[in-house]
């Protein structure tokens, strides 16, 4: 077993300020768990960016290592389910939140949190997807479970240049849905069309300030990564028996609605919880992403950084400037 590992540490100073540093720590300081994994890739998610800036709703103990995603190779295992050399995925649960996460050369976790890397999927593909792709896939599944087929009409995706949004556009397009991508980044319209969007609209067109309980119907389904007024607008403008899969809060947690979209139009609001998704469903979705839902061209979404560059990525993400997915190579 290695004696030390390198990680991206989030620290609180004596002045109650947040500082970050890349440093080595003893492996014995890693949390308890049956499986020790050498991390090949992690990724940067919005929750990670909040953890890296010391958000009290995410980071509760210091020092802390963010990274809710990781993929790598089993170094040690006391579980019969895994052996040294197995390639595995670790996303969600308490990783990077309740315990040290994937922005480090090693993570140690409970065996039940670990999913074997499916055949047909590379480690780089797994982290280009990561929690973002896993969340997007759950959103698409939620829409399909309501019986919404491509023939029903357009499915709108908000925050479409982000990790969840961009992968949702690709997944929906692969399955034949007419996809309307919503973005505030004018320069990314052609890029979204290349990903599969049939139309691209400005985010102002997906948000209404009126307080009317129902709006003109527009969408058969929706993947909302924003929340707040955008989500409120989508629910009020869904077609009859439409479904909104909601997974984001960057636009705010408030949801001022009446019951009318639900009891007059039969709208479904499906909340997507990726961190504590049941493990059997988690494994099923990863298998689908490696087989019938496998996406071509994932490289278009991904860039890479080492631990020394993560801080810059976090700042861009908090300012809404990131596009696609950023992978982290802890050992680079």
């Amino acid at each position: 077993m290695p004696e030390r590992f390198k990680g991206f540490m989030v620290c609180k100073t004596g002045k109650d300020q947040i500082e970050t540093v890349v440093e080595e720590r003893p492996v014995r300081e890693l949390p308890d768990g049956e499986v020790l994994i050498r991390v090949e890739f992690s990724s940067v998610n919005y929750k990670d960016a909040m953890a890296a800036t010391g958000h009290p709703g995410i980071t509760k103990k210091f020092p802390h290592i963010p990274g809710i995603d990781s993929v790598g190779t089993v170094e040690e295992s006391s579980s019969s389910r895994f052996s040294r050399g197995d390639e595995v995925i670790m996303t969600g649960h308490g990783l990077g939140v309740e315990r040290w996460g994937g922005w480090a050369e090693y993570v140690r976790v409970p065996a039940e949190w670990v999913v074997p890397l499916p055949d047909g999927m590379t480690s780089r593909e797994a982290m280009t997807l990561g929690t973002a792709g896993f969340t997007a896939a759950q959103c698409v599944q939620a829409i399909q479970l309501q019986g919404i087929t491509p023939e029903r009409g357009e499915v709108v995706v908000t925050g479409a240049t982000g990790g969840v949004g961009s992968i949702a556009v690709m997944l929906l397009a692969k399955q034949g849905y007419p996809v309307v991508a919503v973005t505030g980044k004018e320069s990314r319209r052609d890029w979204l069309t290349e990903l599969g969007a049939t139309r691209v609209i400005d985010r102002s067109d997906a948000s209404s300030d009126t307080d009317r309980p129902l709006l003109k119907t527009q969408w058969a389904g929706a993947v909302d990564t924003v929340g707040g007024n955008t989500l409120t607008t989508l629910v009020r403008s869904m077609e009859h028996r439409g479904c909104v899969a909601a997974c984001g809060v960057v636009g705010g947690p408030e949801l001022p609605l009446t019951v009318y979209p639900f009891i007059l139009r039969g709208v479904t609001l499906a909340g997507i919880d990726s961190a504590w998704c049941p493990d059997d469903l988690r494994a099923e979705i990863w298998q689908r992403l490696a087989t019938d839902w496998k996406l071509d061209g994932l490289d278009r979404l991904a860039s890479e950084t080492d631990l020394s560059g993560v801080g810059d990525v976090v700042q861009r993400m908090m300012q809404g400037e990131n596009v696609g997915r950023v992978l982290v190579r802890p050992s680079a």
Side-chain angles (χ1 to χ4, degrees), residues 294-313:
K294 186 175 177 65
L295 295 173
D296 298 323
L298 279 175
D299 282 345
R300 291 177 292 180
L301 299 181
S303 59
E304 289 186 20
T305 185
D306 59 12
L307 291 176
S308 65
V310 170
D312 291 337
V313 177

Side-chain angles (χ1 to χ4, degrees), residues 73-97:
T73 305
V74 173
E75 185 80 12
E76 287 187 346
S77 173
S78 60
S79 167
S80 60
R81 293 180 56 212
F82 299 101
S83 302
R84 179 181 171 88
D86 288 349
E87 293 183 290
V88 294
I89 302 171
M90 180 47 249
T91 61
H93 297 88
L95 191 71
V97 180

Side-chain angles (χ1 to χ4, degrees), residues 39-45 48 66-71 95 101-104 127-128 325-330:
V39 179
E40 182 178 358
F41 288 108
S42 185
S43 65
V44 184
N45 301 276
D48 297 320
I68 63 173
D69 294 342
S70 64
V71 64
L95 191 71
W103 292 3
M127 277 301 96
T128 302
R325 296 279 288 154
V326 179
L327 308 188
V328 180
R329 274 189 180 270

Side-chain angles (χ1 to χ4, degrees), residues 211-214 232 235-236 255-264:
D211 59 0
R212 292 199 303 271
L214 293 171
T232 303
V235 172
R236 292 183 294 160
L255 198 62
L257 282 170
T258 69
V259 299
Y260 292 119
F262 308 109
I263 66 172
L264 296 182

